[in-house]
Amino acid sequence: MSIFEYNGAAIVAMAGKNCVAIGSDLRFGVQLQTITTDCPKVFQMNDKLFLGLSGLGTDAQTLHEKLVFRHNLYKLREERSMKPTTFAHLVSSVLYERRFGPYFAGPVIAGLEDNGTPYLCGMDSIGAMETAKDFMVQGTSPESLYGMCESMWREDMEPEELFETLAQCLLSGVDRDALAGWGSVVHVITPDKVITRTIKGRMD
Amino acid sequence: MAGEGSQYSFSLTTFSPSGKLVQIEYALKAVGAGATSLGIAASDGVVIATEKKLPSLLVDEGTVKKILMLTPNIGVVYSGMGPDYRVLVRKARKTAQVYYQLYKEHIPVAQLVREVAAVMQEFTQSGGVRPFGVSLMLSGFDDNGPQLYQIDPSGSYFAWKASAIGKNMVNAKTFLEKRYSEEVGIEDAIHTALLTLKEGFEGQLSSSNIEVGIVGADRKFRVLTESEVADYLQEVE
């Protein structure tokens, strides 16, 4: 059994018209046992930047703490928040530093650039970055998630429609995944606000 | 950094009874004995300039480079000891590249200044080393606009609208105080810089015994060629 499948996760991020959305499942489990159903895998870094971390729970947690640490120091030194591209490169560097003893995590970064353009990026556990214009997925059943996104995503969706699409992709995508699901949370980021919605799904 | 059997593993920059660090005072004297350098921050760019005082006519002045680039949008000049300057330039360039590798974004001017200043400060509080015998004048253009910074051997740094360091700094600064205005553009700033250098220059100012570097709104730092300097000098005359 792969170390990446010890805990289980599903993360989807999508780009719309001057908005991005990112969501994850809520299951926290240890192999086949579900421990809690209130464990989101998406974290807010600043008002226009979200980070999702799939993979081994302890590594995702530690990585998140390290990145909060780095981001806080950056804000103090530079007196400004990190741009999404800057943050993504930082995550990549942090991961590559551990090239031969990596963090078993799969990050997804979703944010809005200064001019409102969506930024989506995903990487593997050693920091190989991939930016996307449409959507980015990570987790224990990426194939199901890709399948859903590929068929349901369209260009230039407004925030409301983007939310519906992402939510449906996430909910249906985790149906075939024993290790992810048990409810989900979705954040929609627009230039003026972030709307967070927790979604009731199949609790199995 | 102490040698074998060295008696000097303590810091040479220890406080005097009057609360001064005499080594830093002496380092500033070394700076004050160096050739004059100055910088002017204009509304749309920054200009830095220096005298190229060579010890002999036989020196190949084309190979002497006092104004150097640290990043594509940041340049630096110094007054004081050349070899110490080169060490700092190396460290500064590396710092800038480390930042770029981490963030894929060019280091902001203020951040680079802080890092270089931190290095200079280290050498005032470590065992077996002496402070750097240079003051640096850093010019750059980033998202916060055109900026000019001076960094001293102690590690203190100041942002200036216009300033001078080295032998003739007092007269040069008085001259600049009279001539500086906030709205001045970079072309005027270059003329003012040349006039300021001319004020304290021993001998005849020419394009082969001064160096000028500019960074404009295009955010590209460059050292002016000898012929460009000659043209500006003609305009000033």
Side-chain angles (χ1 to χ4, degrees):
Chain A
M1 196 231 19
S2 159
I3 186 82
F4 285 96
E5 283 153 26
Y6 187 75
N7 297 118
I11 304 177
V12 179
M14 274 191 188
K17 195 179 173 79
N18 286 348
C19 60
V20 276
I22 183 166
S24 78
D25 71 316
L26 292 174
R27 177 180 181 269
F28 172 62
V30 173
Q31 295 194 295
L32 298 182
Q33 174 164 41
T34 302
I35 315 281
T36 62
T37 54
D38 61 0
C39 178
K41 290 143 196 99
V42 198
F43 312 101
Q44 184 162 23
M45 302 307 295
N46 70 44
D47 46 271
K48 298 222 186 119
L49 181 59
F50 273 76
L51 169 72
L53 287 167
S54 68
L56 191 62
T58 177
D59 283 1
Q61 194 173 65
T62 303
L63 243 191
H64 172 238
E65 286 171 9
K66 275 184 175 286
L67 292 164
V68 166
F69 171 91
R70 300 291 293 257
H71 188 235
N72 284 343
L73 278 181
Y74 182 97
K75 277 193 295 192
L76 285 168
R77 278 199 207 109
E78 308 226 359
E79 294 175 355
R80 58 179 178 142
S81 266
M82 253 195 232
K83 294 200 274 254
T85 35
T86 313
F87 184 72
H89 283 109
L90 174 65
V91 177
S92 175
S93 300
V94 167
L95 290 173
Y96 197 83
E97 272 170 13
R98 290 275 167 268
R99 171 64 177 80
F100 299 109
Y103 290 109
F104 298 113
V108 177
I109 290 143
L112 286 179
E113 310 211 10
D114 291 333
N115 55 8
T117 327
Y119 179 80
L120 278 184
C121 155
M123 53 190 95
D124 67 4
S125 56
I126 44 177
M129 274 175 64
E130 185 76 52
T131 38
K133 292 241 154 41
D134 40 20
F135 49 83
M136 201 38 91
V137 307
Q138 283 280 6
T140 36
S141 56
E143 296 86 2
S144 312
L145 297 169
Y146 273 129
M148 290 303 306
C149 291
E150 201 67 65
S151 34
M152 297 190 57
W153 185 87
R154 276 172 314 108
E155 224 183 318
D156 283 341
M157 282 188 278
E158 295 292 327
E160 292 305 314
E161 212 197 331
L162 186 66
F163 163 73
E164 290 296 338
T165 312
L166 196 148
Q168 287 307 314
C169 287
L170 199 47
L171 251 31
S172 306
V174 301
D175 273 350
R176 282 281 178 185
D177 187 357
L179 301 172
W182 290 83
S184 49
V185 65
V186 178
H187 307 272
V188 183
I189 307 130
T190 55
D192 24 69
K193 57 182 189 281
V194 172
I195 308 172
T196 302
R197 297 181 182 87
T198 312
I199 310 168
K200 275 211 282 254
R202 287 181 62 104
M203 300 302 271
D204 63 357
Chain B
M1 289 199 67
E4 283 178 354
S6 167
Q7 315 276 31
Y8 301 105
S9 57
F10 55 85
S11 169
L12 294 171
T13 27
T14 41
F15 283 106
S16 74
S18 56
K20 287 201 203 149
L21 292 162
V22 276
Q23 277 298 303
I24 295 178
E25 305 283 320
Y26 296 157
L28 285 164
K29 293 249 173 11
V31 171
T36 314
S37 303
L38 55 88
I40 303 177
S43 59
D44 58 345
V46 192
V47 56
I48 48 177
T50 183
E51 289 175 7
K52 228 183 338 189
K53 271 292 179 54
L54 299 167
S56 146
L57 279 173
L58 294 174
V59 174
D60 185 352
E61 74 278 344
T63 61
V64 175
K65 291 193 181 69
K66 290 181 69 176
I67 300 188
L68 294 172
M69 176 191 285
L70 296 180
T71 72
N73 60 326
I74 304 175
V76 65
V77 73
Y78 75 102
S79 283
M81 298 167 68
D84 284 11
Y85 170 63
R86 286 196 291 276
V87 167
L88 284 170
V89 166
R90 248 182 113 85
K91 286 182 191 269
R93 285 172 170 170
K94 188 168 182 188
T95 303
Q97 289 310 311
V98 167
Y99 186 99
Y100 186 75
Q101 188 179 30
L102 210 46
Y103 300 116
K104 287 293 182 295
E105 206 181 275
H106 290 295
I107 188 167
V109 184
Q111 300 303 308
L112 183 58
V113 167
R114 283 174 34 157
E115 297 286 324
V116 177
V119 167
M120 292 171 86
Q121 191 279 341
E122 262 172 51
F123 282 71
T124 68
Q125 210 178 8
S126 304
V129 299
R130 61 162 176 82
F132 288 95
V134 289
S135 276
L136 300 174
M137 198 67 99
L138 237 110
S139 65
F141 202 128
D142 63 17
D143 288 341
N144 294 335
Q147 289 151 79
L148 179 69
Y149 281 93
Q150 175 184 338
I151 317 176
D152 278 344
S154 57
S156 2
Y157 57 89
F158 321 89
W160 291 96
K161 299 175 194 172
S163 185
I165 47 178
K167 212 174 291 189
N168 200 38
M169 57 178 270
V170 179
N171 292 338
K173 281 216 269 199
T174 320
F175 190 86
L176 284 169
E177 263 171 45
K178 294 204 194 87
R179 292 213 154 220
Y180 182 79
S181 88
E182 303 266 335
E183 311 87 41
V184 73
I186 192 155
E187 295 293 314
D188 290 325
I190 299 174
H191 294 135
T192 309
L194 293 173
L195 282 170
T196 316
L197 275 182
K198 214 168 162 215
E199 273 290 297
F201 201 85
E202 293 159 19
Q204 179 74 302
L205 205 76
S206 82
S207 58
S208 56
N209 52 26
I210 55 170
E211 237 177 283
V212 181
I214 59 168
V215 59
D218 60 354
R219 301 197 188 188
K220 286 196 167 43
F221 177 81
R222 63 189 188 84
V223 181
L224 297 182
T225 61
E226 228 184 273
S227 56
E228 283 174 310
V229 175
D231 289 338
Y232 279 110
L233 275 175
Q234 268 196 326
E235 288 171 21
V236 153
E237 239 110 87

